[in-house]
Amino acid sequence: MKAVQQRRSLRSLFGVTVVALAMTGSAATGAAAAPADSEVETLHWASIEEYSSAAGISEEEVVSMPDMKLPDKFRVRADDGSVSDVLSSEEFGGDHTAGSLPDLDPGGGNDGKWWSVVWGGRDWNATYVPLRLGNADLGYRHYNVRHNLTSIDPFKAALKAHGPNAQSNYTALLVDSNLGVRETVVFGVQMATRTSDGRYVSPDGAYIGVITGYCKGKSKCPNAVNRVRVS
């Protein structure tokens, strides 16, 4: 009965037909039946809290699941249910070319200082967490070239949680049509107005916010993470 309830919850959350959610002991592998050659996977974002709650397993177990290989071709399902044309995981599809700077949030300052806000959002506890422009030490400038993470959509997805975990991380999962986790993107945050080393203090009184972002187990994120949107 519990497994049936979990599958129904996953259908409701992800809006897909659940083929299987394979379990090994108490942890999910996240690997479901592979699609037929004629099918193209559809990828979308989910926060780690959304996924763990729906699957009935802990966030620690989700983190320990190995990521599956990204498909060469895929579609993107937006939050509104629309599906994109077929995309290639090898093509860069972010809003900006790697290394360029994004448009700044008009409400977060546009003077190009490290504390200027690229995007800011609230988690499920209504805590405001900014992604600042940053510099070599923190924020967007710190990770966009180093880790090939140029889209802000994974961070938007990661904030669909009640707060960071014990390691001060928010995490987004790139999930396929069969609930396999294809990529795990981690955002380390500073939930204070001053960095732990005391070098930076936010002049706007909000939290420092994002320190870094990266794909788990990789020095560079694949281009696909910059192509999947949160609507």
Side-chain angles (χ1 to χ4, degrees):
M1 174 62 81
K2 183 177 180 182
V4 172
Q5 291 174 339
Q6 288 172 359
R7 287 195 291 270
R8 287 174 179 169
S9 180
L10 285 163
R11 283 194 192 96
S12 175
L13 173 62
F14 296 117
V16 298
T17 300
V18 178
V19 175
L21 184 63
M23 305 294 290
T24 302
S26 61
T29 65
D37 292 339
S38 61
E39 296 178 351
V40 177
E41 285 287 1
T42 300
L43 304 182
H44 59 280
W45 289 110
S47 72
I48 191 171
E49 187 168 335
E50 287 178 311
Y51 193 97
S52 65
S53 176
I57 59 178
S58 70
E59 292 183 22
E60 289 74 16
E61 289 173 315
V62 178
V63 169
S64 68
M65 292 160 46
D67 290 344
M68 300 169 63
K69 181 182 177 181
L70 276 168
D72 294 330
K73 303 287 185 179
F74 61 92
R75 292 185 173 92
V76 173
R77 184 181 66 79
D79 287 350
D80 63 5
S82 62
V83 178
S84 74
D85 293 332
V86 176
L87 304 172
S88 169
S89 62
E90 295 304 314
E91 296 172 1
F92 182 81
D95 289 334
H96 314 275
T97 57
S100 67
L101 299 180
D103 296 329
L104 300 179
D105 182 344
N110 57 4
D111 54 7
K113 302 295 186 182
W114 72 264
W115 59 80
S116 300
V117 175
V118 175
W119 184 84
R122 296 185 182 276
D123 63 21
W124 286 347
N125 280 337
T127 302
Y128 177 73
V129 187
L131 169 57
R132 299 183 187 275
L133 185 59
N135 55 25
D137 297 326
L138 54 81
Y140 184 86
R141 278 178 165 151
H142 171 67
Y143 71 69
N144 76 324
V145 175
R146 179 177 298 182
H147 298 301
N148 191 38
L149 184 57
T150 62
S151 170
I152 64 174
D153 289 80
F155 181 54
K156 290 180 178 179
L159 280 189
K160 295 179 180 181
H162 283 95
N165 64 9
Q167 290 73 45
S168 292
N169 295 329
Y170 286 94
T171 300
L173 306 174
L174 188 58
V175 182
D176 66 26
S177 306
N178 294 318
L179 306 180
V181 177
R182 298 292 184 144
E183 288 291 337
T184 300
V185 183
V186 180
F187 294 92
V189 298
Q190 182 76 63
M191 304 296 276
T193 58
R194 181 187 300 267
T195 56
S196 56
D197 60 9
R199 294 179 59 196
Y200 298 95
V201 178
S202 61
D204 55 14
Y207 288 151
I208 293 292
V210 177
I211 299 294
T212 191
Y214 58 91
C215 288
K216 184 183 76 172
K218 298 177 179 178
S219 60
K220 296 277 188 180
C221 288
N223 292 333
V225 304
N226 298 311
R227 308 206 72 188
V228 183
R229 295 286 176 258
V230 173
S231 61

